[in-house]
Amino acid sequence: ARKKRTRDMAKKSGKKKRTQPVDEGTGEGSGPGVGKVSKSLVIRRGKTAVEVSELVTDMRHMMMPFTALNFQEDAQNRKLTLQQYSKHVALPMGISHMMAFSQNESRLNLRLGRTPEGPTLHFRVQNFSLSRHIKSLQKRPVSNTTGIQANPPVVVTNNFGDSSNARNQAALAAPHIKLMRITFQNLFPAINVAAVKLGECRRVVLFNLMPSEDEEDGAPMVEMRHYAIQASVVGVHKRVKKLVASSKRKLPNLHKVQDIADYVTGQSISGGASVTSDAAPSDSEAEDDPRHTIELPDSYMGQRKAQKSALKLVELGPRLTLSLVKVEKGLGQGDVLYHSHVQKSPEEAAALKAKKQKEASLKDDRKATQEANVQRKRKVLDDKRESKRNKKEEKQEALMQDLRQPGDDALSESEEEASESEASDVES
């Protein structure tokens, strides 16, 4: 029996079963509702103010979970170009998008590019608000905790010509507007609506294209906001809601009431109103409004399935207002596809492109000539070194020959003297 129990335990033990399905696009277990995973890197380049550093941190929290939250830029990395960042940092980490903040004396800039080949969108940050600024103005702020950041947010784009009742508007949207919409959507993983779980949708990122007053000179303005989704029970007294939500929040103060019914009705022991904090249920709108009430298709935030609940959005931050300056074809370089301040005709664009191509060809020719001159000089230097080496070896060989034949030289001198003596005897 003991051997049989041991064999059964050996059969049960083995490779651990995977509890999370593998994503076909990346091979990672990112959940059934997430498609191909987009990973981002938010950095700052050059010297920036303290508020910009906080903005970078808030942006990383917004881009969670597929971003480098604790990435540290050293002094050398801040001077790297986007191409060098893409080659040495982004590609080894599997990053698909880069967001680089830079600051000078007059403005704050944001470059949003797709690695490794672009395109790159150049924005000017008109104004921004940090998460702590937004929470300081809220009556009941929501903490951007790890539980909320465990899943990517839902992306909503507004006024980009992608609404369901404006198909012709989407067809008439400018190319740079379509590119902005596609880039904003691809910053986050695509969500499979048929397979996503309701509990995974906890945040919303809104990109709103604000209409420009002056379409000729005004650059496209985009407002970006970050919200948390909150759900509350409908048709229940406020104090009952507080008791239901007591597992997540602090229990209400019941020391002045004798019975739970007194707390619900608002009566204290003395007969007066109980001292309880019944704040407004929402920061912006009423929860019992039927327009904001839905029947939950699945359990969500502690509420049961098919229960009527009111949804509201609570802003988490950060909040940015961006204006598009230009669009480049490559990653921080290449042809300028759009510029908000410089307008060129097709002929001027073709002439500028031909000029750039000519300059590039001349640059390549100069580089080829320089490389040929360097190779020729290296060859001459190698020949000189080789000739010096050969002369030195020949000289050393001659010295060795002289050292090896001292007896032969003495023998030849004695033979010459003997031949001279014999010749003198014959003459005599």
Side-chain angles (χ1 to χ4, degrees):
R2 185 179 299 174
K3 292 181 180 180
K4 185 178 180 180
R5 193 182 303 113
T6 306
R7 287 197 301 268
D8 294 341
M9 293 176 63
K11 289 180 181 180
K12 291 181 180 180
S13 62
K15 186 177 179 181
K16 183 180 178 181
K17 293 184 179 180
R18 193 180 186 97
T19 58
Q20 198 172 14
V22 179
D23 183 23
E24 297 179 358
T26 60
E28 298 179 357
S30 54
V34 180
K36 186 176 181 181
V37 175
S38 300
K39 298 181 180 180
S40 60
L41 178 65
V42 185
I43 58 175
R44 56 190 177 96
R45 302 184 66 250
K47 294 182 179 180
T48 57
V50 179
E51 291 77 9
V52 179
S53 301
E54 295 184 25
L55 176 61
V56 170
T57 303
D58 292 343
M59 289 292 294
R60 290 176 180 175
H61 282 283
M62 187 191 72
M63 303 298 293
M64 286 290 287
F66 302 109
T67 189
L69 181 60
N70 299 320
F71 182 79
Q72 297 290 336
E73 309 98 338
D74 55 11
Q76 295 181 353
N77 287 345
R78 291 183 190 176
K79 298 180 181 179
L80 294 179
T81 61
L82 291 184
Q83 295 84 7
Q84 293 172 338
Y85 255 111
S86 175
K87 181 179 179 181
H88 300 291
V89 180
L91 291 180
M93 297 173 62
I95 293 172
S96 60
H97 292 82
M98 292 182 60
M99 304 176 69
F101 286 90
S102 59
Q103 185 183 18
N104 54 20
E105 297 179 356
S106 59
R107 57 183 177 269
L108 176 64
N109 300 319
L110 169 63
R111 287 194 291 177
L112 172 59
R114 183 177 179 85
T115 59
E117 298 179 354
T120 305
L121 281 69
H122 294 250
F123 294 97
R124 181 174 298 172
V125 182
Q126 300 292 344
N127 50 68
F128 67 91
S129 299
L130 300 176
S131 297
R132 59 182 178 90
H133 295 155
I134 295 174
K135 292 180 180 179
S136 63
L137 300 176
Q138 294 175 344
K139 196 167 187 178
R140 289 193 300 273
V142 177
S143 300
N144 196 3
T145 58
T146 308
I148 299 179
Q149 299 175 0
N151 297 286
V154 179
V155 181
V156 178
T157 56
N158 186 38
N159 291 335
F160 284 89
D162 52 357
S163 58
S164 59
N165 57 354
R167 298 179 180 178
N168 295 330
Q169 183 182 358
L172 296 176
H176 61 280
I177 300 297
K178 292 182 180 180
L179 181 60
M180 276 198 299
R181 175 177 60 84
I182 295 172
T183 304
F184 290 148
Q185 290 176 346
N186 292 336
L187 278 175
F188 303 91
I191 296 178
N192 185 1
V193 181
V196 67
K197 295 181 180 179
L198 186 61
E200 297 177 356
C201 302
R202 299 293 303 276
R203 296 182 295 147
V204 174
V205 175
L206 172 65
F207 295 96
N208 179 35
L209 180 63
M210 295 184 292
S212 178
E213 298 179 357
D214 189 357
E215 295 182 357
E216 295 182 357
D217 298 332
M221 302 284 290
V222 179
E223 188 178 21
M224 186 188 69
R225 293 198 178 189
H226 183 209
Y227 297 95
I229 303 175
Q230 293 290 314
S232 60
V233 183
V234 176
V236 182
H237 198 276
K238 297 178 183 179
R239 295 185 178 90
V240 178
K241 290 181 184 179
K242 187 177 293 187
L243 289 175
V244 172
S246 61
S247 59
K248 297 182 180 179
R249 301 178 182 177
K250 186 178 179 181
L251 285 171
N253 190 359
L254 303 176
H255 76 283
K256 290 189 177 182
V257 295
Q258 189 173 5
D259 189 76
I260 191 66
D262 297 336
Y263 170 75
V264 174
T265 57
Q267 298 293 328
S268 62
I269 298 176
S270 60
S274 61
V275 181
T276 55
S277 59
D278 292 332
S282 176
D283 294 334
S284 59
E285 55 194 14
E287 292 182 352
D288 294 336
D289 192 341
R291 294 177 300 175
H292 311 122
T293 303
I294 63 170
E295 186 175 338
L296 295 177
D298 197 359
S299 58
Y300 184 70
M301 296 182 64
Q303 302 182 30
R304 298 186 302 274
K305 182 180 179 180
Q307 185 177 1
K308 287 187 177 182
S309 299
L311 299 181
K312 68 173 182 177
L313 299 179
V314 180
E315 190 168 3
L316 295 174
R319 180 191 302 179
L320 287 87
T321 303
L322 309 173
S323 62
L324 180 65
V325 179
K326 68 176 180 178
V327 178
E328 289 180 333
K329 187 176 182 180
L331 184 61
Q333 62 180 1
D335 299 339
V336 178
L337 304 179
Y338 167 80
H339 204 291
S340 60
H341 305 297
V342 180
Q343 303 294 333
K344 294 185 180 295
S345 62
E347 293 78 9
E348 293 176 346
L352 182 61
K353 186 175 181 179
K355 182 180 178 181
K356 293 293 184 181
Q357 290 178 354
K358 184 177 180 181
E359 291 178 354
S361 62
L362 291 175
K363 184 177 180 180
D364 294 338
D365 294 340
R366 287 197 300 268
K367 291 178 69 175
T369 304
Q370 291 175 358
E371 188 67 23
N373 292 335
V374 170
Q375 294 294 335
R376 179 176 55 81
K377 291 179 180 179
R378 285 180 179 176
K379 185 177 180 182
V380 171
L381 185 60
D382 292 340
D383 293 341
K384 286 183 179 180
R385 290 177 179 174
E386 186 68 22
S387 62
K388 286 183 179 180
R389 191 181 300 109
N390 294 336
K391 288 181 180 179
K392 186 175 181 180
E393 291 178 356
E394 291 176 357
K395 188 175 180 180
Q396 290 179 354
E397 186 69 22
L399 291 175
M400 293 298 295
Q401 290 293 338
D402 294 340
L403 292 175
R404 288 192 190 117
Q405 298 177 355
D408 297 340
D409 295 339
L411 182 60
S412 60
E413 290 177 359
S414 61
E415 289 179 353
E416 289 178 359
E417 292 177 357
S419 61
E420 289 178 358
S421 61
E422 289 178 357
S424 60
D425 292 340
V426 171
E427 289 178 359
S428 60

